[in-house]
Amino acid sequence: MKIEILYFDGCPNHELMLDRVRDVLKEEGIFAEVSELNIQDDPAAQAARFLGSPSLRINGLDVEPEARTLNQFGMMCRTYLDTGRRVGLPPRELIRNAVRETAQARSPQDCCEVPVVATAQTEPAVQQRKWVLGASVTAAIGASLCCILPILTAVTGVGVLATGAMFERWRPYLLAATVSLLGAGFLLVYRDRRKACAPGSVCATRPVTRWSLISLCAVGVLAAGVAAFPYYSGAVARALIGEPPSNGAAASTALATVTFQIPDMDCAACAVSLSTTFRRLPGVAEAKLDVDSRKAVVTYDPAAQDVPKLRRIISEAGFHIASESRL
């Protein structure tokens, strides 16, 4: 692709034209030399078919299609139509369209001789990155299901609390998969930014855009936030679930207390959800679950509730009871 800027000394828009052309070429991922032709006098202007300064030609054609048939050549300043007004530079879109049309018009056998639009950053490569990043978010969600499902259980009433406990066993592996997939995503982007062929050849890659990098970082932050959900799930659970209404058991004077040691209860959301389940049972006055000590302390009315039923609630939630003590 041959790009020429024609100008005369003292033209205020000459350097601005050069910068604008280079910016458009960079945005389009096209490698091409931009030559400059200084028109010295009127005879030179006539010989070069100079329409005014600055003029832009791509492969010998003026960037402005309407000007290609004009024959008013000379040492004069040139203007271009931009959104209904005359300005000293061609609009960016006019340059962009001319560059694209020229690049698309090149025949395949010219691919190794002149710069063309970069095509290696093809749809499969983009889809590959999207798949890897999407899988990383999915793995992060899977790693946090142990604390997401208990909240869904308490909010919707659907019995999936035991399923959440099952995902807890898979959490280390899912976290490892999340980290690996995120690393692969960053590696793919880094590879596409570094990979290059001969400038202008069909294998030259289109540079990864700023928005691609921003999207990659956003996905990384999202995956990290989801993977870390168990650490702040208790606050989320309390905000969504709240305190269930009292069922009236506290009015009884013959209350008993039982303490369950639950070694595998290490999720704050699970504790909040299980506490809510206890409080909704008839005869339960209070239920306190502490993740740090792995204990569940339930105060209940023996006339309306019994310990085997409380124990069964814990087992059905997917947890194991190491010991219990009663007061």
Side-chain angles (χ1 to χ4, degrees):
M1 185 182 296
K2 182 181 179 182
I3 301 179
E4 298 175 293
I5 295 178
L6 291 76
Y7 70 100
F8 54 66
D9 288 333
C11 175
N13 293 316
H14 163 226
E15 293 295 335
L16 297 175
M17 169 78 88
L18 181 61
D19 291 340
R20 178 166 294 187
V21 171
R22 286 174 174 169
D23 286 345
V24 171
L25 290 175
K26 184 177 180 180
E27 291 168 1
E28 291 298 307
I30 294 178
F31 300 88
E33 287 291 332
V34 181
S35 61
E36 301 172 79
L37 181 59
N38 189 349
I39 306 300
Q40 301 287 344
D41 49 34
D42 193 67
Q46 296 297 324
R49 302 176 64 84
F50 184 48
L51 293 172
S53 181
S55 290
L56 175 63
R57 293 177 185 171
I58 303 178
N59 283 2
L61 294 177
D62 195 274
V63 71
E64 196 171 33
E66 298 81 2
R68 294 169 186 172
T69 58
L70 300 178
N71 55 11
Q72 292 84 29
F73 312 124
M75 302 292 288
M76 53 195 171
C77 290
R78 182 170 177 179
T79 60
Y80 299 84
L81 187 64
D82 185 6
T83 61
R85 59 192 183 93
R86 306 300 298 188
V87 295
L89 292 172
R92 286 180 178 270
E93 286 307 309
L94 184 65
I95 300 174
R96 192 186 315 278
N97 292 337
V99 167
R100 288 178 177 176
E101 290 174 4
T102 304
Q104 292 170 0
R106 302 304 297 173
S107 59
Q109 59 266 29
D110 295 331
C111 66
C112 299
E113 300 175 4
V114 295
V116 296
V117 176
T119 57
Q121 190 70 8
T122 55
E123 201 59 30
V126 175
Q127 291 299 327
Q128 186 182 37
R129 288 207 306 270
K130 288 182 178 179
W131 184 91
V132 170
L133 295 177
S136 67
V137 175
T138 302
I141 293 174
S144 299
L145 278 177
C146 58
C147 291
I148 295 175
L149 292 178
I151 297 177
L152 293 178
T153 298
V155 173
T156 65
V158 179
V160 292
L161 188 56
T163 308
M166 179 192 71
F167 273 98
E168 173 65 23
R169 294 191 293 271
W170 287 92
R171 177 172 167 77
Y173 306 103
L174 291 170
L175 283 177
T178 300
V179 173
S180 299
L181 289 168
L182 279 177
F186 279 94
L187 182 62
L188 285 174
V189 171
Y190 177 78
R191 181 200 65 183
D192 291 338
R193 284 176 64 86
R194 297 285 298 177
K195 183 171 59 177
C197 302
S201 67
V202 293
C203 63
T205 59
R206 181 187 297 275
V208 177
T209 64
R210 179 183 302 175
W211 285 111
S212 295
L213 294 176
I214 293 175
S215 300
L216 175 64
C217 293
V219 170
V221 171
L222 174 62
V226 173
F229 181 75
Y231 297 104
Y232 57 88
S233 61
V236 175
R238 284 188 291 271
L240 291 178
I241 300 172
E243 292 291 335
S246 173
N247 53 28
S252 173
T253 57
L255 296 180
T257 299
V258 59
T259 300
F260 299 100
Q261 189 71 43
I262 310 173
D264 50 358
M265 186 184 66
D266 54 3
C267 170
C270 297
V272 174
S273 180
L274 191 56
S275 173
T276 301
T277 302
F278 279 135
R279 289 171 179 268
R280 288 173 176 167
L281 293 175
V284 173
E286 189 175 16
K288 295 180 179 179
L289 281 82
D290 182 58
V291 174
D292 294 331
S293 62
R294 308 289 201 274
K295 288 183 179 180
V297 181
V298 183
T299 302
Y300 65 99
D301 183 355
Q305 194 55 255
D306 56 54
V307 172
K309 175 67 178 295
L310 300 177
R311 190 186 302 113
R312 188 164 61 252
I313 292 295
I314 297 174
S315 299
E316 290 176 353
F319 297 111
H320 300 88
I321 300 173
S323 63
E324 65 182 62
S325 58
R326 308 182 195 182
L327 294 176

Coordinates of all heavy atoms in Angstrom, one line a residue, residues 239-287:
A239 N -27.6 -10.1 55.0 CA -28.3 -9.0 54.3 C -29.5 -9.5 53.5 O -30.6 -8.9 53.5 CB -27.3 -8.3 53.4
L240 N -29.4 -10.7 52.9 CA -30.4 -11.2 52.1 C -31.5 -12.0 52.9 O -32.7 -11.9 52.6 CB -29.9 -12.2 51.0 CG -29.0 -11.5 49.9 CD1 -28.5 -12.6 49.0 CD2 -29.9 -10.5 49.1
I241 N -31.0 -12.7 53.9 CA -31.9 -13.6 54.6 C -32.6 -12.8 55.8 O -33.8 -12.9 56.1 CB -31.2 -14.8 55.2 CG1 -30.6 -15.6 54.0 CG2 -32.1 -15.7 56.0 CD1 -29.7 -16.8 54.4
G242 N -31.7 -12.1 56.5 CA -32.2 -11.4 57.7 C -32.5 -12.3 58.8 O -32.2 -13.5 58.8
E243 N -33.2 -11.8 59.8 CA -33.6 -12.6 61.0 C -35.0 -13.1 60.8 O -35.9 -12.3 60.5 CB -33.5 -11.8 62.3 CG -32.1 -11.5 62.7 CD -31.3 -12.7 63.1 OE1 -32.0 -13.7 63.6 OE2 -30.1 -12.7 63.0
P244 N -35.3 -14.4 60.9 CA -36.7 -14.9 60.7 C -37.5 -14.5 61.9 O -37.0 -14.3 63.0 CB -36.5 -16.5 60.7 CG -35.2 -16.7 61.4 CD -34.3 -15.5 61.1
P245 N -38.8 -14.4 61.7 CA -39.7 -13.9 62.8 C -39.7 -15.0 64.0 O -39.5 -16.2 63.7 CB -41.0 -13.8 62.2 CG -41.0 -14.7 61.0 CD -39.5 -14.6 60.5
S246 N -39.9 -14.5 65.1 CA -39.9 -15.4 66.3 C -41.2 -16.3 66.2 O -42.2 -15.9 65.8 CB -40.0 -14.6 67.6 OG -40.2 -15.5 68.7
N247 N -41.0 -17.6 66.6 CA -42.1 -18.6 66.5 C -42.8 -18.7 67.8 O -43.6 -19.7 68.0 CB -41.6 -19.9 66.0 CG -40.4 -20.5 66.7 OD1 -40.3 -20.1 67.9 ND2 -39.6 -21.2 66.1
G248 N -42.4 -17.9 68.8 CA -43.1 -17.9 70.1 C -42.5 -18.9 71.1 O -43.0 -18.9 72.2
A249 N -41.5 -19.6 70.8 CA -40.9 -20.5 71.8 C -40.3 -19.9 72.9 O -40.1 -20.4 74.0 CB -39.9 -21.5 71.1
A250 N -39.8 -18.6 72.7 CA -39.1 -17.9 73.8 C -40.0 -17.6 75.0 O -39.6 -17.4 76.1 CB -38.5 -16.6 73.3
A251 N -41.3 -17.7 74.8 CA -42.3 -17.5 75.9 C -42.3 -18.6 76.9 O -42.8 -18.4 78.0 CB -43.7 -17.2 75.3
S252 N -41.8 -19.7 76.5 CA -41.8 -20.9 77.5 C -40.7 -20.7 78.5 O -39.6 -20.3 78.2 CB -41.7 -22.2 76.7 OG -41.5 -23.3 77.5
T253 N -41.0 -21.2 79.7 CA -39.9 -21.1 80.7 C -39.1 -22.4 80.8 O -38.1 -22.5 81.5 CB -40.6 -20.9 82.1 OG1 -41.6 -21.9 82.4 CG2 -41.3 -19.5 82.1
A254 N -39.6 -23.5 80.2 CA -38.9 -24.8 80.3 C -38.1 -25.0 79.0 O -38.4 -25.9 78.2 CB -39.9 -25.9 80.5
L255 N -37.1 -24.2 78.8 CA -36.2 -24.3 77.6 C -35.0 -25.1 77.9 O -34.5 -25.1 79.0 CB -35.8 -22.9 77.1 CG -37.0 -22.0 76.6 CD1 -36.4 -20.6 76.2 CD2 -37.8 -22.6 75.5
A256 N -34.5 -25.8 76.9 CA -33.3 -26.6 77.0 C -32.3 -26.1 75.9 O -32.7 -25.5 74.9 CB -33.6 -28.1 76.8
T257 N -31.1 -26.4 76.1 CA -30.0 -26.0 75.1 C -29.2 -27.2 74.8 O -28.8 -28.0 75.7 CB -29.1 -24.9 75.7 OG1 -29.9 -23.8 76.0 CG2 -28.1 -24.5 74.7
V258 N -28.9 -27.4 73.5 CA -28.0 -28.4 73.0 C -27.0 -27.8 72.1 O -27.2 -26.9 71.4 CB -28.8 -29.5 72.2 CG1 -29.5 -28.9 71.0 CG2 -27.9 -30.6 71.8
T259 N -25.7 -28.3 72.3 CA -24.6 -27.8 71.5 C -24.1 -28.9 70.6 O -23.8 -30.0 71.1 CB -23.5 -27.3 72.4 OG1 -24.0 -26.3 73.3 CG2 -22.3 -26.8 71.6
F260 N -24.0 -28.7 69.3 CA -23.5 -29.6 68.4 C -22.1 -29.2 67.9 O -21.9 -28.0 67.5 CB -24.4 -29.8 67.2 CG -25.8 -30.2 67.5 CD1 -26.9 -29.3 67.6 CD2 -26.1 -31.6 67.7 CE1 -28.2 -29.7 67.9 CE2 -27.4 -32.0 68.0 CZ -28.4 -31.1 68.1
Q261 N -21.2 -30.1 67.9 CA -19.9 -29.8 67.3 C -19.9 -30.3 65.9 O -20.0 -31.5 65.6 CB -18.8 -30.5 68.1 CG -17.4 -30.1 67.7 CD -17.0 -28.7 68.2 OE1 -17.3 -28.3 69.3 NE2 -16.4 -27.9 67.3
I262 N -19.7 -29.3 64.9 CA -19.8 -29.7 63.5 C -18.5 -29.3 62.8 O -18.3 -28.2 62.4 CB -21.0 -28.9 62.8 CG1 -22.3 -29.0 63.6 CG2 -21.2 -29.3 61.4 CD1 -23.4 -28.1 63.1
P263 N -17.6 -30.3 62.7 CA -16.2 -30.0 62.2 C -16.1 -29.5 60.8 O -15.2 -28.8 60.5 CB -15.5 -31.3 62.4 CG -16.6 -32.4 62.4 CD -17.8 -31.7 63.0
D264 N -17.1 -29.9 60.0 CA -17.0 -29.5 58.6 C -17.8 -28.3 58.2 O -18.1 -28.0 57.0 CB -17.4 -30.6 57.6 CG -18.7 -31.3 58.0 OD1 -19.3 -30.9 59.0 OD2 -19.1 -32.3 57.3
M265 N -18.3 -27.5 59.2 CA -19.0 -26.3 58.9 C -18.0 -25.1 59.0 O -17.8 -24.5 60.0 CB -20.1 -26.1 60.0 CG -21.0 -24.8 59.7 SD -22.2 -24.5 61.0 CE -21.1 -24.1 62.4
D266 N -17.5 -24.8 57.8 CA -16.5 -23.7 57.7 C -16.9 -22.6 56.7 O -16.1 -21.8 56.3 CB -15.2 -24.3 57.3 CG -15.3 -25.1 56.0 OD1 -16.4 -25.2 55.4 OD2 -14.2 -25.7 55.6
C267 N -18.2 -22.5 56.4 CA -18.7 -21.5 55.5 C -19.7 -20.6 56.2 O -20.7 -21.1 56.8 CB -19.4 -22.2 54.3 SG -20.3 -21.0 53.2
A268 N -19.4 -19.3 56.2 CA -20.3 -18.4 57.0 C -21.7 -18.4 56.5 O -22.7 -18.3 57.2 CB -19.7 -17.0 56.9
A269 N -21.9 -18.5 55.1 CA -23.2 -18.5 54.6 C -24.0 -19.8 55.0 O -25.2 -19.8 55.3 CB -23.1 -18.4 53.0
C270 N -23.2 -20.9 55.1 CA -23.8 -22.1 55.5 C -24.4 -22.0 57.0 O -25.4 -22.5 57.3 CB -22.8 -23.3 55.5 SG -22.3 -23.7 53.8
A271 N -23.5 -21.3 57.8 CA -23.9 -21.1 59.2 C -25.2 -20.3 59.3 O -26.1 -20.6 60.1 CB -22.8 -20.5 60.0
V272 N -25.2 -19.2 58.5 CA -26.4 -18.3 58.5 C -27.6 -19.1 58.0 O -28.7 -19.0 58.6 CB -26.1 -17.1 57.7 CG1 -27.4 -16.2 57.6 CG2 -25.0 -16.2 58.3
S273 N -27.5 -19.8 57.0 CA -28.6 -20.6 56.4 C -29.1 -21.7 57.4 O -30.3 -21.8 57.6 CB -28.2 -21.2 55.1 OG -29.3 -21.9 54.5
L274 N -28.2 -22.4 58.0 CA -28.6 -23.4 58.9 C -29.2 -22.8 60.2 O -30.2 -23.4 60.7 CB -27.3 -24.3 59.3 CG -27.6 -25.6 60.1 CD1 -28.5 -26.5 59.3 CD2 -26.3 -26.3 60.3
S275 N -28.7 -21.7 60.6 CA -29.3 -21.0 61.7 C -30.8 -20.6 61.4 O -31.7 -20.7 62.3 CB -28.5 -19.8 62.1 OG -29.1 -19.0 63.1
T276 N -31.0 -20.1 60.2 CA -32.3 -19.7 59.8 C -33.2 -20.9 59.8 O -34.4 -20.8 60.2 CB -32.3 -19.1 58.4 OG1 -31.4 -17.9 58.5 CG2 -33.6 -18.6 57.9
T277 N -32.7 -22.1 59.3 CA -33.5 -23.3 59.2 C -33.9 -23.7 60.6 O -35.1 -24.1 60.9 CB -32.7 -24.4 58.6 OG1 -32.3 -24.0 57.3 CG2 -33.5 -25.7 58.5
F278 N -33.0 -23.6 61.6 CA -33.4 -24.0 63.0 C -34.4 -23.0 63.5 O -35.4 -23.5 64.2 CB -32.1 -23.9 63.9 CG -31.2 -25.1 63.8 CD1 -29.8 -25.0 63.7 CD2 -31.8 -26.4 63.9 CE1 -29.0 -26.1 63.6 CE2 -30.9 -27.5 63.8 CZ -29.6 -27.3 63.7
R279 N -34.3 -21.7 63.3 CA -35.2 -20.8 63.9 C -36.6 -20.9 63.4 O -37.6 -20.5 64.0 CB -34.7 -19.3 63.6 CG -33.4 -19.0 64.4 CD -32.9 -17.6 63.9 NE -31.7 -17.2 64.6 CZ -31.7 -16.4 65.7 NH1 -32.9 -16.0 66.1 NH2 -30.6 -16.1 66.3
R280 N -36.7 -21.5 62.2 CA -38.1 -21.7 61.6 C -38.8 -22.9 62.1 O -40.0 -23.1 61.9 CB -37.9 -21.7 60.1 CG -37.6 -20.4 59.4 CD -37.4 -20.5 58.0 NE -37.1 -19.2 57.3 CZ -36.6 -19.1 56.1 NH1 -36.3 -20.1 55.4 NH2 -36.5 -17.8 55.6
L281 N -38.0 -23.7 62.9 CA -38.7 -24.9 63.4 C -39.6 -24.6 64.6 O -39.2 -23.7 65.4 CB -37.6 -25.9 63.9 CG -36.7 -26.5 62.8 CD1 -35.6 -27.4 63.4 CD2 -37.5 -27.4 61.8
P282 N -40.7 -25.3 64.8 CA -41.5 -25.1 65.9 C -40.8 -25.4 67.2 O -40.1 -26.4 67.3 CB -42.7 -26.1 65.7 CG -42.7 -26.4 64.2 CD -41.2 -26.3 63.8
G283 N -40.9 -24.5 68.2 CA -40.3 -24.8 69.5 C -38.9 -24.3 69.6 O -38.3 -24.4 70.7
V284 N -38.2 -23.8 68.6 CA -36.8 -23.3 68.7 C -36.9 -21.9 69.0 O -37.4 -21.0 68.3 CB -36.1 -23.6 67.4 CG1 -34.7 -22.9 67.4 CG2 -35.9 -25.1 67.1
A285 N -36.2 -21.5 70.1 CA -36.2 -20.1 70.6 C -35.0 -19.4 70.0 O -35.1 -18.2 69.7 CB -36.2 -20.0 72.1
E286 N -33.9 -20.1 69.9 CA -32.7 -19.4 69.4 C -31.7 -20.4 68.8 O -31.7 -21.6 69.3 CB -32.0 -18.6 70.6 CG -30.9 -17.7 70.1 CD -30.3 -16.9 71.3 OE1 -30.6 -17.3 72.5 OE2 -29.6 -15.9 71.0
A287 N -31.0 -20.0 67.8 CA -29.9 -20.8 67.2 C -28.7 -20.0 66.9 O -28.8 -19.0 66.2 CB -30.5 -21.5 66.0

